[in-house]
Each structure stands twice: as structure tokens, then as C-alpha cells.
Amino acid sequence: MKRLFDIAVSAAALLAASPLLAVLMVWIRLDSPGPALFRQTRIGLNGQPFTIFKLRSMVQDAAERGGYATSATDARITRVGQFVRRTSLDELPQLFNVLRGDMSLVGPRPDTPMQEANYSPEDWQRRHQVRPGITGLAQARLRSAATAEERLALDLEYVSSASLSRDLAILFETVRTVFIRKTV
């Protein structure tokens, strides 16, 4: 049921967002040299690698200029990149990953292969018992402010209780978090 929901929602969202996606891709190309799409190897269900798609929000050679971790003030982020990151529009191409079956709408955010060193073998394995998601419990609750420990705890909590009804609640919470900014 969850997979059918993922396919239906991601297909409808891609159809609805395709004009916006086209405009953003042109804007990215005009803003800085390089492709509009960013591709990177990530780890998915059962530890299988896949290629993730995102709108490019950083300079073309960002990987050579720094590691996988970024902050809001990272000098590698382009002008358009600041906007697409703040609004989470850089994640739109991941709807293709959902259609392909690499990802789900909801699940732990997919890690790079290098990040395996940050986990115990047991936690790494548990985390990959479900498809990674465009959003997850950590993103819905803490956005990008989650510490590594908080993110892991929320990811493992999700793995232990994944269900379609939980996904719907997380999607609602994500929309609320992204569009109705919480003031601190």
C-alpha cells in the first residue's frame, strides 16, 4: 500500500510541479556554470547504492572544495541554491527516485557511502531496512537543525514504526514545518 501511495503521489506531484521544475532548472543554469541537476551515490534499501537526483544548489566543483556536510553559510552554495535549499525545492527531482523505487516519500534521509563510518554496524543495518525518504521524522520535527544523534534516534524510531498512517502524519508535519516557519 505504501509503495502504491508513493507512486501515485510522486507522479501527481511531478506533473503539477513540472513547470516550476523547468523554470528552476533554467534559473540554476543562468546563475552558475554546470548542470541544473546534481547526481550523487547514496545508500538505499538493504544497503544498496543508488543515484539520487537534486537541483544543484552549490558550485559545480563543490565536492572538491569541501566535504558532504554543509551549513547555511557554506560559501559553495550559489545564490539560487540559497533559495532552493531554504524552500526545499532542491528536493523536487527526488520524486523521480520515488517513481524508480530507490526512495519513498517518507523514510530516513539517504546517506552517502562515506557516512557509514558515523554509525555502528547495527544502526547502519537497521537504518537501511526501509527505503530512504525525501522527508523523514528528523526533517519534519527538527528540519536541518538536528544533531547526528537526534537524527539517528528519530530515524531508528521511524524504522521501528513505519506505516502508511505514520507517513501521512510525517508528510503533514513536514509541510507545516517547511511552509509555516516555527519561530524560536
Side-chain angles (χ1 to χ4, degrees):
M1 194 63 146
K2 178 179 162 79
R3 181 73 186 124
L4 291 175
F5 176 77
D6 281 346
I7 291 169
V9 171
S10 60
L14 269 173
L15 188 61
S18 59
L20 174 61
L21 196 53
V23 167
L24 290 171
M25 291 176 79
V26 169
W27 192 21
I28 289 167
R29 291 293 310 266
L30 293 173
D31 182 54
S32 65
L37 283 180
F38 171 73
R39 294 171 177 85
Q40 186 180 49
T41 299
R42 298 287 180 102
I43 303 300
L45 181 64
N46 298 320
Q48 294 300 307
F50 71 96
T51 301
I52 196 171
F53 303 109
K54 295 180 80 168
L55 289 176
R56 184 174 55 83
S57 62
M58 300 178 86
V59 295
Q60 186 174 354
D61 61 347
E64 290 79 36
R65 293 189 194 187
Y68 59 82
T70 60
S71 68
T73 59
D74 194 313
R76 300 173 295 168
I77 300 173
T78 64
R79 288 173 296 182
V80 174
Q82 291 174 359
F83 171 75
V84 297
R85 281 173 174 248
R86 186 176 62 252
T87 57
S88 297
L89 292 171
D90 60 326
E91 312 290 354
L92 276 177
Q94 290 171 39
L95 293 168
F96 288 110
N97 288 110
V98 174
L99 284 176
R100 289 173 37 161
D102 298 326
M103 294 178 69
S104 179
L105 292 171
V106 179
R109 286 294 298 154
D111 283 325
T112 65
M114 298 189 274
Q115 289 174 282
E116 184 174 1
N118 299 337
Y119 297 92
S120 71
E122 297 80 22
D123 287 344
W124 180 258
Q125 184 179 8
R126 277 191 60 214
R127 203 172 176 281
H128 295 96
Q129 290 175 345
V130 297
R131 280 187 179 88
I134 294 175
T135 189
L137 195 53
Q139 292 69 35
R141 293 210 179 140
L142 302 171
R143 191 98 164 108
S144 57
T147 65
E149 294 79 17
E150 290 169 326
R151 181 177 161 233
L152 176 60
L154 290 168
D155 287 347
L156 295 179
E157 178 184 328
Y158 174 80
V159 170
S160 298
S161 61
S163 69
L164 183 56
S165 61
R166 185 91 194 257
D167 285 6
L168 292 172
I170 292 169
L171 286 169
F172 178 76
E173 195 172 348
T174 299
V175 169
R176 194 177 70 219
T177 301
V178 170
F179 294 108
I180 304 168
R181 304 261 182 239
K182 295 178 183 175
T183 55
V184 179

